[in-house]
Amino acid sequence: MLLEAKNVSKTFRSRRGTEPVHAVRNATLRARPGEFVAIVGESGSGKSTLARILLDLIPAGSGSVELDGVPISAMTRTQRVEYRRRVQAVLQDPAGSLNPRKRVEQTIGEVIRLHRIATTRSQVRDKVREVLGLVGMNPAEDFLDRFPHALSGGQRQRVLVARAIALNPKIIVADEAVSALDASVKAGVLRVMADLKDRLGVGYVFITHDLPVVRKVADHVYVMRSGEIVEEGPKEAVFAEPSHPYTRALLAAAPVLR
Ligand SMILES: Nc1ncnc2c1ncn2[C@@H]1O[C@H](COP(=O)(O)OP(=O)(O)O)[C@@H](O)[C@H]1O
Ligand SMILES: [Mg+2]
């Protein structure tokens, strides 16, 4: 399976007659199951806009997003629903990804029901338990009845990962999914995500401004600046021999990772 953004651009035009913002310019990217693809770049470089386009939350202005060569815009309704199941989002919880009024079991259970991964009450419950186990929330019983406010930041991100993998996705688009967490908690959630790549074969489009994170987990790296992908390559190559001055500047400014 191959997820591709082909020459994707997105311009936001404000109604008040200010200058249009070219959030993404001619971006081309490929992601596959079992591969950890990172997009790095400073704040405002267009990473989240590209993520939202990949997730089919907003349309590309031009260019296309394709799954195995089929553009989203050409998909039938059924194919599109299937696309949205196979390409899952893990966003930052402070962005409101978890409903504060829903317990963990309901949060995960309702997407399982919606996509008919399981139907009976006990099947759904088993699936919820299974995915909580996969993200290291053991025993699941301790978490099923909790509301988000009764979870730590790291646990909330794990629930978001669990909800995503409950749908058996091929690719997870994670936008700053661990950025708000403290170092040790961040490392734990990252380990879980990397582990799922190996155990389930899921792929990631992992978006972050955090270079040490990329250095730790990525296979392939795309560097964005002012809406453009200015550099791309296997992690080792990009870190060892950055070809673009911007990448060199980013690396020079990043804290050294031990
Ligand atoms: N809905 C929107 N309307 C207008 N401008 C937007 C919108 N979303 C993002 N932008 C602008 O697009 C640019 C890229 O933003 P974003 O994709 O969020 O970057 P990043 O995630 O790398 O910080 C920024 O200048 C931002 O202000
Ligand atoms: Mg962003």
Side-chain angles (χ1 to χ4, degrees):
M1 201 203 88
L2 176 66
L3 175 66
E4 286 176 289
K6 285 187 178 169
N7 307 108
V8 165
S9 297
K10 183 76 181 180
T11 300
F12 293 109
R13 291 168 211 285
S14 122
R15 275 173 222 117
R16 273 159 271 136
T18 51
E19 288 293 299
V21 177
H22 301 287
V24 177
R25 309 176 200 226
N26 208 32
T28 293
L29 168 149
R30 292 163 161 238
R32 293 176 184 80
E35 189 185 39
F36 214 118
V37 170
I39 305 178
V40 291
E42 293 169 337
S43 175
S45 55
K47 305 183 299 296
S48 293
T49 303
L50 183 54
R52 286 159 67 208
I53 293 169
L54 288 171
L55 287 165
D56 195 23
L57 296 173
I58 57 171
S62 64
S64 62
V65 172
E66 304 182 5
L67 191 67
D68 291 332
V70 182
I72 289 179
S73 57
M75 287 179 185
T76 63
R77 212 184 125 71
T78 315
Q79 284 175 319
R80 199 138 171 187
V81 170
E82 182 63 4
Y83 179 90
R84 289 179 174 191
R85 182 189 66 73
R86 292 164 94 182
V87 182
Q88 281 296 307
V90 175
L91 310 178
Q92 239 178 313
D93 178 48
S97 300
L98 287 174
N99 185 330
R101 285 180 213 88
K102 286 183 183 164
R103 299 175 198 273
V104 168
E105 180 168 13
Q106 190 186 356
T107 291
I108 301 175
E110 70 187 8
V111 298
I112 292 173
R113 263 185 224 100
L114 191 69
H115 283 270
R116 298 196 175 82
I117 305 294
T119 44
T120 70
R121 221 186 135 126
S122 72
Q123 281 174 344
V124 171
R125 194 162 242 248
D126 285 349
K127 184 74 189 175
V128 173
R129 280 205 191 89
E130 177 194 326
V131 294
L132 285 174
L134 281 169
V135 299
M137 296 180 82
N138 291 307
E141 278 64 29
D142 288 358
F143 301 100
L144 290 172
D145 292 333
R146 294 205 206 175
F147 289 101
H149 70 80
L151 298 169
S152 68
Q155 288 167 344
R156 284 199 290 272
Q157 289 309 119
R158 284 172 195 244
V159 169
L160 292 174
V161 174
R163 181 175 66 182
I165 59 165
L167 301 183
N168 309 321
K170 299 293 181 191
I171 291 181
I172 291 178
V173 178
D175 189 2
E176 306 284 8
V178 299
S179 304
L181 305 174
D182 293 340
S184 65
V185 178
K186 182 187 291 189
V189 179
L190 268 180
R191 215 176 306 118
V192 159
M193 294 178 81
D195 183 44
L196 293 173
K197 184 185 84 164
D198 301 331
R199 288 173 75 169
L200 307 177
V202 68
Y204 291 95
V205 176
F206 191 91
I207 293 168
T208 184
H209 63 275
D210 192 338
L211 277 173
V213 163
V214 173
R215 185 162 242 161
K216 205 179 269 179
V217 297
D219 298 314
H220 200 90
V221 178
Y222 290 84
V223 181
M224 273 188 97
R225 185 196 191 188
S226 307
E228 272 182 287
I229 290 171
V230 295
E231 174 145 10
E232 178 234 321
K235 174 185 66 179
E236 290 77 16
V238 170
F239 277 84
E241 280 182 76
S243 60
H244 195 279
Y246 175 70
T247 312
R248 289 201 285 272
L250 260 189
L251 289 172
V256 178
L257 187 85
R258 270 178 264 257

